[in-house]
Amino acid sequence: MSLVNRNMNAFLEELASNSPAPGGGSVAALAGALGSALTSMVCRLTVGKKKYAGAEEEMKSVLAMSEKLRTTFTRLIDTDTEAFNKVMEAYGLPKDNDDQKALRNAAIQEATKEAALVPLECMKHGIDALALALAVAQRGNLNSVSDAGVSALMIGAGIEAAALNVKINLTGIAETEFVEWKTPEVSSILKTGRDAVEEILAIVEEKISS
């Protein structure tokens, strides 16, 4: 059964089991989905309020984008687990002769690349999600500004968690060019994400204390 179709307790039980998947990559995607859901909530608590009429159209647009991202993150919860399972399947291929060993190694490399690319995709979507969290922190319902902050924290955590999953998979990839291409990309996204979270939290703190 798809992870996202289980109830919360069933998902947590599976996560806490001795099965290596779902693991950190799925949790990273879940964090992104939770953050996006909070952004959507702030939008919905802003739209229709006379006090925020000037931000109505923007919040409707942000809502549409955050809901799309929430769907994307939710899909990635399962996609990450599926990618990990493909790696395990590749390691389980026969290796009784040189031909089998070559095929097995090629399968492992391709599966490991995919296992690195899925959390990298999660990181990229996280940057988009933080831009939306920034919008609701700046112009959303003031009564929900703390939720905008939590949204940023969850999305930021998702980016950080996904980065760890990219990095650990990159260590298993023999293709130097691929690793050298993706490593700085991860670092760049991490910096962008951390800067965005810091900016959003500063706005939230200022609005809470004013």
Side-chain angles (χ1 to χ4, degrees):
M1 179 188 295
S2 170
L3 295 171
V4 299
N5 290 327
R6 299 184 181 188
N7 64 39
M8 182 65 73
N9 283 335
F11 177 81
L12 292 175
E13 286 292 334
E14 182 70 14
L15 190 63
S17 74
N18 61 1
S19 171
S26 291
V27 170
L30 175 60
L34 290 170
S36 294
L38 277 173
T39 295
S40 294
M41 184 191 79
V42 178
C43 288
R44 290 190 168 103
L45 290 172
T46 305
V47 171
K49 302 290 193 300
K50 290 183 179 179
K51 182 178 179 180
Y52 301 100
E56 174 119 355
E57 291 307 311
E58 180 187 8
M59 289 299 104
K60 286 180 178 178
S61 177
V62 170
L63 175 58
M65 290 185 284
S66 66
E67 284 296 271
K68 184 176 180 180
L69 281 171
R70 180 164 70 95
T71 298
T72 298
F73 283 123
T74 301
R75 171 181 57 80
L76 288 171
I77 294 172
D78 277 313
T79 304
D80 187 87
T81 294
E82 291 163 3
F84 178 83
N85 288 338
K86 288 179 182 178
V87 175
M88 293 297 96
E89 289 170 8
Y91 273 101
L93 291 173
K95 49 180 179 177
D96 299 327
N97 56 54
D98 288 344
D99 287 342
Q100 288 183 346
K101 288 177 181 178
L103 288 171
R104 176 177 177 272
N105 184 62
I108 290 171
Q109 289 297 303
E110 284 305 308
T112 305
K113 281 184 182 179
E114 183 178 348
L117 290 173
V118 172
L120 183 58
E121 180 185 352
C122 188
M123 292 180 71
K124 292 175 180 178
H125 289 305
I127 299 303
D128 294 334
L130 283 173
L132 303 181
L134 174 61
V136 297
Q138 290 173 325
R139 293 174 290 281
N141 192 321
L142 183 60
N143 293 328
S144 298
V145 71
S146 60
D147 296 299
V150 175
S151 171
L153 286 169
M154 293 302 299
I155 296 164
I159 292 173
E160 298 280 348
L164 293 177
N165 282 270
V166 178
K167 290 176 181 179
I168 197 169
N169 282 296
L170 288 179
T171 64
I173 296 173
E175 186 181 326
T176 304
E177 184 178 353
F178 182 88
V179 176
E180 291 179 347
W181 175 29
K182 295 302 177 184
T183 299
E185 186 175 5
V186 171
S187 298
S188 176
I189 296 172
L190 275 173
K191 184 181 186 308
T192 300
R194 288 167 181 169
D195 289 347
V197 171
E198 184 177 347
E199 180 182 5
I200 294 166
L201 291 180
I203 292 168
V204 170
E205 290 288 353
E206 181 181 357
K207 290 194 172 186
I208 288 175
S209 60
S210 63

